[in-house]
Amino acid sequence: SKMSMMGSKNQDDINYTPPGQKRGEYYRGVVNDTTYDNSDVSPVTSRPEPKSHGVPLTPMAAGATMLNLVLASGPFSYPYGFVNTSPFLGIVLMGVISVFSYMTATFMVEALSISCAMRFNPDEDERTIYPSLPGEDPSIKRKRDEADIDVKESPYYIREKVEISKMCDDHLHVAAKYVLFFIIACYMYGAMIFKYVAGAKSLSEGISFTFTGEKDKYDEQFKFYYICIAVFAVVSLMFSLGNIENSRVLQVVSMYLRFLTTFLMIVGSLISIFRHGITFKMSDNVPDISHVPNLVSNTVFIFVVHHSVAGIVKPVRPQKAVYPLIFYSFTVGGAILVVEAMLAALAFSHIDNKD
């Protein structure tokens, strides 16, 4: 793979000639100072101060971002199809789809790496040297930079965020590009409807039930649901226009809030089991095929993070942590949802959902 080739500093080992460079030339750079050595330049000359390309993401912050995408609205939507179809089928499906999703996510990283190599110019300062974070110990920055010291001069080092449209131009026929755009447009339309409408409805009913004891009371009085839709639209627009690289604190905080919410839902299931016992009986659980589309679509939706891979991966330092953070985000997120759904099956199978 191209990412694995980043471990070699010798460009002769890579069958690729960057723009503006003759085949066989060997480019070497020193990551922690401002000098370089090139066969066309003698003696060693100084190079300009590295440009800042934003703010780095630690593997922890990037993993939190990825985990937020995996969990998203899953804790609210996934258990229903899981319980009504078959827990066994749900677990198998979760495992299979998570494996394929991980594979395709790494394909996106590979495509991003190759696209960066196609744009690589050794005469420009494209090494993406990040400044220290506010209040950061210099030794931490040095440790972060040194982790990639043997790969930063590779053409395949991810130096910029190449969006999906540009990667399509790099790797796909124009017809395939427009097919992909159509699929993405359908996905985004469905995701907006699913997340914003369902989120606004949950917010409206939750607030109404908390203060009045009736979930539709506020909506009947002054259309509170539409107010919640407007709130979701404004907040979503504000975050959509921002740079994901600058949201590391928000991502970590929201990850902990998701963990807290899911943990409380798990605790609620355990309390119900303690009070009423286990209500799920395997002999009574006949798989309902009519719920299979719900289970499959929700399971696939959990791992659709590919549209955000470029924005998450590009600022990660060290980049050697990219594949592990994707793997652990998928594993932890999938495991949490399976545990939550399984406990919901054990605790609430005796309740008929009339909605």
Side-chain angles (χ1 to χ4, degrees):
S1 68
K2 300 300 184 296
M3 286 291 289
S4 63
M5 295 172 71
M6 290 175 13
S8 172
K9 287 184 64 175
N10 194 334
Q11 216 172 45
D12 294 335
D13 295 335
I14 303 175
N15 186 23
Y16 173 79
T17 304
Q21 186 173 350
K22 300 175 183 178
R23 182 173 295 278
E25 285 183 340
Y26 173 42
Y27 174 73
R28 293 175 297 177
V30 183
V31 173
N32 290 330
D33 59 29
T34 58
T35 65
Y36 71 96
D37 184 14
N38 189 289
S39 58
D40 291 339
V41 180
S42 183
V44 175
T45 59
S46 63
R47 69 185 293 163
E49 187 69 19
K51 296 183 296 184
S52 173
H53 293 262
V55 180
L57 283 179
T58 64
M60 174 66 178
T65 304
M66 188 74 73
L67 190 58
N68 279 331
L69 293 172
V70 171
L71 289 177
S73 55
F76 301 96
S77 60
Y78 178 70
Y80 182 74
F82 181 93
V83 173
N84 286 281
T85 305
S86 168
F88 175 76
L89 179 60
I91 293 173
V92 172
L93 196 61
M94 175 69 78
V96 172
I97 292 180
S98 64
V99 169
F100 278 98
S101 297
Y102 172 76
M103 290 172 57
T104 51
T106 60
F107 293 165
M108 288 293 296
V109 178
E110 297 282 349
L112 175 60
S113 176
I114 297 172
S115 291
C116 287
M118 295 171 68
R119 291 164 173 76
F120 177 72
N121 187 346
D123 295 328
E124 297 181 1
D125 187 17
E126 293 285 357
R127 292 182 295 171
T128 315
I129 304 293
Y130 283 109
S132 297
L133 299 175
E136 182 181 44
D137 190 318
S139 63
I140 297 178
K141 177 184 182 300
R142 184 169 60 252
K143 182 179 179 181
R144 184 176 66 234
D145 288 338
E146 289 177 350
D148 283 345
I149 194 171
D150 59 332
V151 297
K152 280 192 174 181
E153 301 302 334
S154 167
Y156 296 100
Y157 193 75
I158 298 175
R159 296 168 173 80
E160 58 182 300
K161 182 171 66 175
V162 184
E163 298 294 353
I164 291 179
S165 60
K166 297 297 183 181
M167 283 195 279
C168 287
D169 291 334
D170 294 341
H171 308 297
L172 295 178
H173 186 274
V174 63
K177 172 183 174 180
Y178 287 112
V179 170
L180 181 61
F181 282 178
F182 175 76
I183 294 173
I184 293 176
C186 292
Y187 160 74
M188 292 303 299
Y189 178 73
M192 291 174 64
I193 292 176
F194 178 72
K195 290 185 177 181
Y196 302 157
V197 172
K201 184 174 179 61
S202 297
L203 180 63
S204 172
E205 292 180 352
I207 293 177
S208 179
F209 186 82
T210 300
F211 293 101
T212 68
E214 299 180 26
K215 66 178 184 179
D216 298 322
K217 186 71 173 180
Y218 284 168
D219 196 39
E220 293 172 354
Q221 290 180 342
F222 48 88
K223 302 299 181 183
F224 187 59
Y225 166 74
Y226 293 102
I227 297 176
C228 293
I229 280 282
V231 170
F232 267 73
V234 171
V235 173
S236 299
L237 183 62
M238 291 172 56
F239 285 115
S240 297
L241 297 177
N243 188 343
I244 195 171
E245 298 178 34
N246 299 327
S247 65
R248 61 190 185 283
V249 175
L250 174 66
Q251 296 294 343
V252 173
V253 171
S254 59
M255 179 190 70
Y256 284 120
L257 290 176
R258 288 187 192 278
F259 275 142
L260 177 61
T261 302
T262 309
F263 173 75
L264 292 176
M265 295 172 73
I266 290 174
V267 169
S269 298
L270 293 174
I271 292 174
S272 178
I273 291 173
F274 178 77
R275 290 180 175 178
H276 307 290
I278 296 176
T279 60
F280 177 83
K281 293 181 175 61
M282 198 67 186
S283 58
D284 297 336
N285 184 251
V286 179
D288 187 346
I289 303 301
S290 65
H291 290 284
V292 170
N294 181 288
L295 176 63
V296 174
S297 60
N298 276 301
T299 307
V300 171
F301 192 74
I302 289 169
F303 297 105
V304 178
V305 301
H306 304 68
H307 56 288
S308 300
V309 164
I312 295 173
V313 167
K314 178 251 178 180
V316 173
R317 295 297 179 272
Q319 281 192 7
K320 294 175 181 178
V322 166
Y323 286 167
L325 74 85
I326 296 176
F327 175 81
Y328 288 117
S329 298
F330 280 21
T331 303
V332 172
I336 289 174
L337 292 176
V338 167
V339 169
E340 181 220 4
M342 197 67 223
L343 287 175
L346 297 176
F348 305 116
S349 293
H350 63 291
I351 298 176
D352 292 329
N353 188 353
K354 301 300 183 182
D355 293 334

